[in-house]
Amino acid sequence: MPQGNSRHSTQQEIVIIGAGVVGLGIAWRLAQRGASVTLFDKNQAGTGASRAAAGMLAACAEAEPGEEELVELGRRSQALWPDFAAELEEISGEAIDLRTEGTLVVALTADDQARLAHHLAFQRTLGLPIEWLSAAQTRQREPHLAAGMAGAVFSPTDHQVDNRQLVAALLAAATQAGARLRQHEAVSDILVEGERAVGIRLEDGSSVHADQVVLAAGAWSRDIEGVARAERPPVRPIKGQVIMLRMDPAAPILNHVLWAPGVYLVPRRDGRMLVGATVEEKGFDTTLTAGGVLSLLEAAWRVLPAIEELAIEETAIGFRPGSRDDAPILGPGPLAGLVYATGHHRNGILLAPITADSIAQLVLDGTIDPSIAAFGMGRFMPPVAA
Ligand code: GLY
């Protein structure tokens, strides 16, 4: 309990910087518990990474060596998702289309298969519920896959939600619970008095008092001034280009979330199919490039040739908030009254429920849920001289 921030008797004023899925989820949980919450976003709520996201809840299929703690966090959040989705839909009246077909990671060639088998052996050491499907078993699930593909890893618990509907539902739920939303109001600084954050300053020069400030500004989190440089989260934008195709919803050519070399495909119930995503270190560059589109469509076509008949409905650019170790930054920092909820990188939608619950708990009770203990800002702070 590093901040001594438990204040049960009076209503706390909480400011959240950033109204994406992470900020909105925290606001919802805080407002449900009676806190006075105001969210600030420099744009319209949910139009950053939350809008460009794929909505994959992929705790297992994407598990990589060295990310064991992150996989555990993802699995915990994945387990929260069914109840989180049901509660959110009931309260908000908005469907968020949690689809539970699972995820297929397709091997196109024998080389791909050998690589996936090697990876599968590692994933099994973590006890993840994934299995190898033969080509025939894979095709039974997805008949339109490329002829000659070698099979797939099936991850039955890696589901998906419609991230844009999720934003709408969180917005409705948070505001119904009493959270206030101030859009198109950019925060320039965190206000500090002594050793404590006491509010924020907006770009128009006005200031807003807060008992606690939650920094949930995604890829923009590092740009908020007012705190020492070492206390700014080491988060940078990782550009992703995505393409939205349109299927006939009555005859979809894909039902599972699909990974293949160089691409993932995410079918929505309404017939949209998201094709993603590039991973680029280009700062906040919003250019849609021929190379990006070419590589995504080529990789998508190799695994699912029938996409060539589909209309391109939309393209989008998103900026993943990537931290130095690709894991989120969750919890208190050295400055009392400032809580970090950023750096979710590829996993913002997956980690939304556990982030919302654990950050609300930290803000209101002053306790750090053990599941986020390894993800504090402390891991990036310079060592204190002895
Ligand atoms: N979570 C999907 C992506 O980052 O591209």
Side-chain angles (χ1 to χ4, degrees):
M1 212 184 303
Q3 302 197 65
N5 54 5
S6 180
R7 298 171 187 193
H8 299 283
S9 51
T10 54
Q11 193 183 38
Q12 289 206 55
E13 288 294 337
I14 316 295
V15 158
I16 300 176
I17 308 172
V21 158
V22 168
L24 286 167
I26 297 167
W28 178 37
R29 289 309 197 205
L30 285 171
Q32 275 183 317
R33 289 188 55 189
S36 174
V37 187
T38 310
L39 282 146
F40 289 84
D41 200 291
K42 66 195 184 81
N43 295 312
Q44 193 183 323
T47 55
S50 300
R51 183 168 176 79
M56 294 183 289
L57 310 179
C60 302
E62 295 183 36
E64 296 283 346
E67 293 187 340
E68 286 77 1
E69 282 176 327
L70 181 59
V71 173
E72 182 59 30
L73 184 71
R75 294 276 286 152
R76 283 175 190 263
S77 199
Q78 196 176 55
L80 296 175
W81 254 105
D83 286 348
F84 184 83
E87 183 186 352
L88 187 56
E89 287 189 333
E90 191 184 326
I91 287 176
S92 68
E94 304 265 354
I96 63 168
D97 277 0
L98 175 66
R99 289 188 67 166
T100 57
E101 289 88 345
T103 294
L104 290 167
V105 186
V106 174
L108 291 177
T109 64
D111 275 359
D112 295 341
Q113 182 175 354
R115 214 170 13 253
L116 285 182
H118 186 67
H119 200 57
L120 185 60
F122 157 72
Q123 291 170 319
R124 286 216 169 110
T125 65
L126 303 182
L128 302 181
I130 40 185
E131 58 178 305
W132 176 255
L133 301 183
S134 68
Q137 289 169 320
T138 308
R139 194 173 304 287
Q140 258 180 0
R141 290 178 174 272
E142 291 294 355
H144 294 277
L145 291 178
M149 57 89 193
V153 169
F154 177 47
S155 181
T157 61
D158 284 350
H159 300 149
Q160 60 138 317
V161 289
D162 185 317
N163 45 297
R164 295 182 183 180
Q165 291 174 210
L166 173 63
V167 167
L170 283 171
L171 205 49
T175 50
Q176 271 174 45
R180 292 171 297 280
L181 177 62
R182 291 176 59 174
Q183 303 178 95
H184 306 288
E185 293 197 66
V187 175
S188 61
D189 292 73
I190 292 162
L191 295 174
V192 178
E193 275 177 25
E195 295 299 307
R196 184 168 190 99
V198 293
I200 55 162
R201 182 178 297 117
L202 299 171
E203 270 183 0
D204 68 6
S206 61
S207 53
V208 178
H209 159 81
D211 295 296
Q212 296 195 62
V213 176
V214 179
L215 181 53
W220 292 266
S221 298
R222 193 182 197 162
D223 301 339
I224 311 293
E225 300 187 1
V227 297
R229 191 152 280 279
E231 292 167 11
R232 294 203 209 167
V235 171
R236 69 193 191 286
I238 302 177
K239 176 182 172 183
Q241 303 184 44
V242 300
I243 302 164
M244 195 67 87
L245 305 178
R246 169 63 64 182
M247 301 182 285
D248 176 356
I253 61 170
L254 186 70
N255 286 294
H256 297 72
V257 174
L258 197 79
W259 278 87
V263 76
Y264 55 75
L265 306 169
V266 186
R268 303 283 192 228
R269 282 225 174 86
D270 64 5
R272 287 173 300 145
M273 183 203 292
L274 185 142
V275 180
T278 63
V279 180
E280 302 171 65
E281 297 280 356
K282 295 261 176 64
F284 287 108
D285 169 32
T286 55
T287 316
L288 183 80
T289 64
V293 171
L294 178 68
S295 69
L296 293 175
L297 287 181
E298 210 255 343
W301 175 77
R302 278 188 188 283
V303 66
L304 198 66
I307 66 154
E308 66 187 22
E309 300 297 334
L310 304 183
I312 295 179
E313 185 168 283
E314 184 190 332
T315 56
I317 310 283
F319 299 105
R320 306 171 184 89
S323 76
R324 247 181 249 147
D325 60 6
D326 291 344
I329 305 171
L330 302 172
L335 191 65
L338 177 60
V339 170
Y340 299 81
T342 186
H344 290 72
H345 193 217
R346 305 180 71 94
N347 295 310
I349 309 293
L350 169 67
L351 298 178
I354 203 152
T355 301
D357 289 354
S358 61
I359 297 298
Q361 176 187 324
L362 173 64
V363 167
L364 295 182
D365 306 330
T367 55
I368 298 175
D369 187 285
S371 57
I372 64 163
F375 298 97
M377 179 65 183
R379 72 193 195 274
F380 300 118
M381 297 297 294
V384 180

